[in-house]
Structures are given as structure tokens and as C-alpha cells.
Amino acid sequence: LSVDDTTVEVDEGISSRHPKHFYEVGLKLECGKEQRLRHLAGRIEKKLGLSRSQLSRFERGLQAAGSLPSVVLLEGSDDGMEFGADATAVDIARAFFRSHFRSFLSAEATVREGSDPRGVRKMRVASRRLQVGLEVFGDCLPARMSKALRSELRWISRSLRDVRDLDVFSDVLMAEVADVELAFPEYQAHVAASWAVARNSLVKALTSARFLRLRRDFAAFLNSRCWTDDTGGDSTPLQIAEDVLLPALSLVRKGGAAIDDASPETKLHRLRLDCKKFRYRLELFEPLVPGGLKTFIKACKLLQNDLGVRRDFFVALGRIEDFRKSNELGDAEREELKKLRKLLKGRLRELRGGYAGKWRAFSSSVRRKKLCKLLRKPEVEVAHEEEDPLLQGQAGQGTNLRPVDEYVIR
């Protein structure tokens, strides 16, 4: 038997590290029956309120180094996301799907274990990117296959979302009450119980036959020979990028320009979602324009993060109000929650007041004319373009890619 109580620096995989605390009880069977060891482990788990680890100590070390491997489901090796002038739509789609499916798989063990909220975030983001790829390249895939994969990815994304939203909510609460003396034990117990329910539902989903089929079918899709080099027809990848990115940009600029400090939260949330979709599409085609789309992506991240913080406070207020209305609370708890709501409302007003400046910064960096020139002449650096009028219309629902041979998910 061994006991570990330590803090290590964990690599997030994005050029930054953060401290992570481990408290673990380890059991090793030198001799005797494995069944008795498992019985002892179960009693210790129940007595001390511990959860069974999904990672070995070796895998834990790899996790700390940012090198936890994914389940080996894909054949061959990845060539990265760098393409030459002769790259086809198939090259881009294949590399994009493989990269983010590996990221999706690599987070699974951490998510199952539940020891690091970043695992849930990583897996959820990867699932969203895969959905975007299926939407963008949907016309070059058999309709039945594309529809089935997107449906299953949406299903697992919902389970990940429920846990992720409560993780973010808890972070917002802890950050806001860190410097003030507020105590609301009943509500904190409610949040912890809600998280446990969402967590159990997620684990159930990840251990289900349905999720195993999703992993198997997506891997089979990527390993199959349904990819053909003439998928794009007469359209070049940059022409496809233009067809995909310009309508998405139009949607963001049109929605953002119509918002002011008095706009309802639903409009701000819609803008955040549209901005996120545009950013994911930019990242998909970025390898075709080395360095050229980084300014656009950075601007999207800044606006998206700002809108995300607003959304977090808005959702937090709603959760607290729902709890207050549906539960019989003592006077002390009710008064503390009232103070917390007042604190959160003040922060939300501060954030809303700065929207106009944030939008001007975004719109001056993300311009249609500049994007068009980058996509049509990627080797030319464009700067100081005049502001362009807002585009009209809605984002497209795919590309003009020609369907490949049928591939059926069983």
C-alpha cells in the first residue's frame, strides 16, 4: 500500500502549465488472490470517499507531461496540417478529421476519471470541430454516413456540456467570492449534487455500447477507402474556403453590428455561437494560407472569450434564481444568495458596457475584402484595408464537393 499527496505541473498542450494536486492510495498485489484485493479496494474507496482511477501510474506520468496517448483506432500516421499548392479538398478533410479525432480519443481516459476538468473541455471542443468538418465537407460524404456521425457527436457533446457547464459555473462562483465573505452551504451542496448527477450520466455514456460504436464507426470512416482525389470537382480548396468562410463572416458581422448595450442576452449568445463557428472554419482552412488567417483567428478568440464571460455570469444568475425560487431556504442562506446575485449583476453590467469597443476592435481586424484577397492570393500580405459593407445572406450549408463512393455505418 502507498499514499501519494503531491502537486505537479501538468502540461496543457498549449505552451502553458498549471499545478495539479494528486491524492492517491495505491494497492499492489504481491501474492494472493486478486478478488480479495479488489474487495479491499472497494472498502477503502467507500470509506474514504475515493474514486477508482482509470489511469495507471505510468499513464499519469504521461498525462503530467502532456503525452497521454489516444486509443489506437486509426491506421497509418498523420502528416500534420501543412499542405502544398497541389493539396486537394480530400487532403484537407482527411487531415482535419484525423487530427481532431485523435484529440477526441486522447481526452477520453481523463474524462472518464474525472480528475481534470480540462479533459472534458478538450473532448467537447474536439467533438464540435468534428461536427464542423462534417458540415463543411458534408457534400463529399455519403448523406447517410454524414448524418449518422453528426447525430452521434451531438449526443456525446450534450453529455460533455452538462459537466462542463457546471465546472465553469463553479469556477465563476469561486472567483467571485474569493475576496468577499459569503457563505451559502445549501447552494454549494446543490451544485455538487448536480455535478455528480451530470458526471454519472457522462460516465454512463462513455461506457455505453453506443459510444463504442461511435468510436468504431468514425475510425472505420477515416480508415476506409471512400476518399477519392477528385472529390472537389472543378473547385480548388481555396475556392471552397471562400464559399465556406465568406457567408460565415457575413453572419458574424451582421449580427454583431446590430447589437448594442441594451440588446437581450439571446442576441449576444447567438453572436458568440456564430463567432465560434466562423473561427472553427478559419482553423480548418488555415493551413492553406500560412500565417494569413492568424489575425482573423485571434480576433475571433478575443471576441468569443469576452462574450463567453458574459454568458457565464448570465447563466450563473439564472441558476441561482431558479434554486432560490424552488427551495425552502433559511433567512441566512437567502440573504447570502441575494448578496451573491447583486455581486454577479454588477459584474455583468460592467461587461456589457464594454461591448462597443470590443466590437470595433473585431470589425476593424476581420474584414471581408482582406479575407477575399488572402484566399485568392495567399502569398500577398494585405494590410490597412478600408472598411467593407456588411454582407447579406446566411451562412452556407456545405460545399459543392462531389459525393464519394457510399460507405455505410453498420
Side-chain angles (χ1 to χ4, degrees), residues 19-55:
K20 179 172 175 58
H21 184 253
F22 293 96
Y23 181 77
E24 297 181 337
V25 177
L27 298 175
K28 182 179 180 181
L29 183 64
E30 296 288 352
C31 62
K33 296 182 179 180
E34 182 178 343
Q35 184 178 359
R36 297 185 66 181
L37 180 69
R38 291 186 179 278
H39 177 70
L40 175 60
R43 293 186 63 182
I44 293 176
E45 183 179 352
K46 184 177 181 179
K47 184 70 174 179
L48 299 182
L50 303 178
S51 58
R52 194 72 57 89
S53 174
Q54 301 293 321
L55 303 177

Side-chain angles (χ1 to χ4, degrees), residues 231-250:
T231 301
D234 296 331
S235 298
T236 67
L238 283 175
Q239 289 171 337
I240 295 170
E242 192 171 336
D243 291 341
V244 170
L245 295 177
L246 294 184
L249 172 58
S250 169

Side-chain angles (χ1 to χ4, degrees), residues 14 21 35 55 80 95 110 127 176 239 314 334 341 379:
I14 52 174
H21 184 253
Q35 184 178 359
L55 303 177
T110 305
S127 70
E176 289 305 307
Q239 289 171 337
F314 180 81
R334 188 174 293 277
R341 290 180 68 248
E379 72 280 1

Side-chain angles (χ1 to χ4, degrees), residues 153 223 285 316 331 352:
L153 285 170
N223 293 332
F285 291 104
D331 292 340
R352 281 180 173 171

Side-chain angles (χ1 to χ4, degrees), residues 49-110:
L50 303 178
S51 58
R52 194 72 57 89
S53 174
Q54 301 293 321
L55 303 177
S56 68
R57 291 190 173 185
F58 174 68
E59 290 172 323
R60 179 83 67 207
L62 291 176
Q63 181 192 51
S67 303
L68 188 63
S70 61
V71 178
V72 180
L73 293 174
L74 300 181
E75 299 172 357
S77 58
D78 292 333
D79 297 325
M81 290 286 289
E82 295 184 2
F83 305 101
D86 59 344
T88 65
V90 170
D91 296 329
I92 300 167
R94 182 190 289 114
F96 181 84
F97 284 130
R98 289 178 68 90
S99 173
H100 294 297
F101 187 57
R102 286 191 184 279
S103 181
F104 179 80
L105 294 177
S106 69
E108 182 185 339
T110 305

